[in-house]
């Protein structure tokens, strides 16, 4: 949360001697990969098959190899490449193929190419009320209005799909909050101001296979998904497996399927996220299931499979991933492959939610479990660096590099602008919400706005960062224009579609332009990442994919600053264009860009 470790380097730094790979050139079925620094071994995979060394030609700074002839049988497959030497491992290369040919244009990608996804996370109850007939707030005076149902529903989401909101913004994957039936009563307690809560958010299931009637019907869910698919959009579902509400039949009929609410010393086993992460309860009315037991794993994985098979969902966001044993994830992924992915040749996507260190997060990311998780390590640094004037870009660049080292340079991790558990970034950036205050209490006790209007520029920069780094950019509803708010439930206000202020509308247009750049420039999807320049106030990196380049530059100071970067020799330099109107000059391989204060630039050939 803005802190950093002190480091002592013993011996030589290896940063300048590790092998570095880049996509250099291709001709028909031949691919050439550039290598900087010595590489002792080269690993080239087609899918998971290692191409033999005797089929790889090694030069001083290049390796070349032929694409295997078998790939022509497959509409989509991938080449992956690594190198190493005695100092460590290189970055990785990912090259998508279409029936054996290298893909060079985004028009050849489909919605199942998850690397090209731009996610939009919405809370159904807080997005759009399309059918007032199913409005049913909990009738209990102990629930304050902020913690009750607002009326958003599946019909409302479908309306926004059909009226072009997502298509206009450029979104190609909608992430729905949980849709299963939640209880009718009030639960939990917040002491000041005193309130209980409804299950408007969907995370208290009393069923794992019924649509909450307040959101709509099975047919309305099917219509939503069909509408999204007709516009070439994916829909992924937020699925809750870790816990159920105490009224869920699973718990009522099998209380022994839950972990123990009390620890051996008699204390409550609630909210002990790290000490007892596989058994702790979220609250006394939310039993955690013991998903180490086969008799519990089977029905809960079957319930997840039900949503994919019956409604043609495209994947899952999994709640509370780190609190669930690996056997659950392996069982679910096996069932999805056996029943959907293999017979239907459908590439599903699963992303998890884990708060913790990178070792823990990465332990759930592999072909037998998750495709990715949300990278909260980078998110926390990005919030601090972009929102606070004196925080250094070195923290953010260092955090991103650590993630690339752990998850790979072509990962499917999620990079968020915010979520339902975090205060709104723009209120931090504008100063109306303080980093050192209780953000939840603030949302209950005063009206949280934006504050300093330069926060809109900072939010634009945060979105620009997420939309240009490797991984899957994810926009939390309202962050496309700058909806303010403190923590839960103030960060879950009703979505606004009209009467945006001038700065909100401008932010929306900038984010829309950024999404268009991301989706239409393949180097921002499959490109190699390379740091070009870094100091406290400026940060520049490149994304290169063969002869295509995007140079991304940030300036967090309030005044314009020049940023000097070096362009690789293999890139033709006379067709570079500034997408956000910054002035730049080129002399040889050197480019100097004047980046406005609290702003960014993207230069693309």
């Amino acid at each position: 949360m803005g802190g950093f470790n002190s480091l002592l380097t013993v011996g030589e730094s290896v940063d300048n001697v590790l092998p570095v790979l880049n996509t250099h050139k291709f001709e028909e079925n031949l691919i050439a990969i550039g290598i900087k620094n010595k590489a002792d071994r080269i690993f080239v995979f087609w899918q998971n098959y290692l191409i033999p060394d005797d089929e790889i030609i090694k030069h001083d700074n290049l390796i070349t190899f032929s694409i295997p002839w078998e790939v022509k049988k497959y509409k989509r497959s991938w080449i992956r490449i690594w190198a190493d030497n005695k100092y460590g491992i290189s970055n990785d290369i990912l090259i998508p193929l279409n029936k054996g040919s290298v893909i060079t244009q985004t028009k050849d990608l489909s919605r199942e190419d998850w690397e090209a996804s731009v996610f939009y996370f919405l809370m159904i109850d807080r997005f759009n009320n399309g059918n007032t007939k199913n409005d049913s707030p909990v009738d209990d005076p102990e629930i304050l209005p902020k913690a009750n149902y607002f009326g958003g529903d599946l019909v409302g989401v479908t309306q926004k799909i059909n009226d072009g909101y997502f298509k206009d913004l450029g979104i190609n994957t909608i992430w729905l909050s949980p849709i299963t039936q939640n209880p009718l009563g009030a639960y939990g307690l917040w002491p000041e101001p005193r309130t209980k809560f409804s299950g408007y958010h969907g995370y208290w299931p009393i069923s794992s296979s019924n649509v909450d009637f307040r959101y709509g019907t099975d047919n309305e869910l099917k219509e939503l998904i069909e509408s999204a698919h007709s516009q070439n959009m994916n829909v992924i579902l937020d699925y809750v497996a870790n816990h159920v509400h105490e009224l869920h039949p699973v718990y009522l009929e099998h209380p022994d399927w839950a972990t123990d609410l009390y620890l051996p010393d008699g204390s409550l086993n609630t909210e002990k996220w790290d000490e007892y992460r596989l058994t702790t309860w979220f609250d006394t009315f939310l039993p955690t299931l013991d998903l180490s037991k086969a008799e519990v794993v089977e029905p809960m994985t079957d319930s997840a499979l039900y949503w994919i098979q019956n409604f043609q969902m495209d994947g899952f966001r999994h709640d509370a991933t780190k609190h669930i044993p690996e056997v659950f994830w392996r069982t679910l992924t096996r069932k999805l492959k056996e029943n959907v992915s293999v017979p239907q040749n459908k590439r599903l996507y699963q992303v998890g939610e884990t708060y913790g260190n990178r070792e823990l997060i990465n332990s759930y990311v592999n072909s037998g479990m998750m495709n990715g998780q949300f990278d909260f390590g980078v998110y926390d640094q990005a919030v601090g660096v972009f929102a606070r004037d004196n925080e250094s870009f070195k923290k953010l660049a260092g955090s991103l590099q650590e993630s690339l080292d752990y998850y790979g340079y072509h990962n499917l991790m999620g990079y968020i602008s915010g979520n339902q558990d975090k205060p709104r970034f723009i209120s931090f950036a504008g100063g109306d919400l303080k980093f050192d205050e209780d953000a939840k209490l603030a949302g209950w006790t005063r009206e949280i706005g934006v504050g300093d209007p330069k926060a809109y520029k900072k939010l634009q920069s945060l979105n620009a960062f997420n939309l240009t780094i490797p991984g899957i950019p994810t926009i939390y509803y309202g962050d496309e224009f700058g909806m303010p708010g403190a923590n839960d439930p103030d960060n879950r206000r009703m979505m606004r579609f009209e009467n945006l202020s001038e700065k909100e509308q401008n932010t929306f247009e900038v984010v829309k332009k950024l999404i268009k750049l991301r989706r239409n420039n393949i180097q921002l999807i499959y490109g190699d990442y390379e740091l070009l320049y870094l100091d406290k106030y400026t940060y520049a990196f490149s994304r290169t994919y063969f002869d295509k380049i995007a140079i991304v530059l940030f300036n967090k100071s309030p005044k314009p600053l020049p940023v000097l970067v070096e362009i690789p020799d293999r890139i033709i330099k006379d067709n570079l264009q500034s997408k956000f109107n910054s002035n730049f000059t080129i002399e040889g391989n050197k480019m100097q860009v004047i980046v406005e204060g609290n702003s960014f630039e993207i230069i693309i050939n």
Side-chain angles (χ1 to χ4, degrees), residues 124-144:
I124 296 170
D125 177 68
R126 304 301 170 93
F127 191 65
N128 186 38
N129 191 346
N131 178 14
T132 57
K133 293 179 181 179
N134 60 23
D135 291 0
S136 184
V138 178
D139 185 13
D140 190 324
E142 290 195 278
I143 301 178
L144 294 179

Side-chain angles (χ1 to χ4, degrees), residues 2 59-60 63 66 79-80 90 135 157 175 222 237 272 280 293 318 322 327 340 355 381 473 503 507 509 512 568:
H59 307 280
D60 289 339
I63 65 164
S66 297
I79 296 284
R80 297 180 295 140
S90 71
D135 291 0
V157 178
W175 156 19
K222 288 178 180 178
L237 177 64
K272 298 187 182 295
T280 193
K293 297 179 177 179
H318 288 296
K322 76 173 185 180
V327 64
V340 182
Y355 292 95
Q381 292 291 356
K503 291 188 179 299
T507 300
E509 295 301 327
K512 182 168 74 170

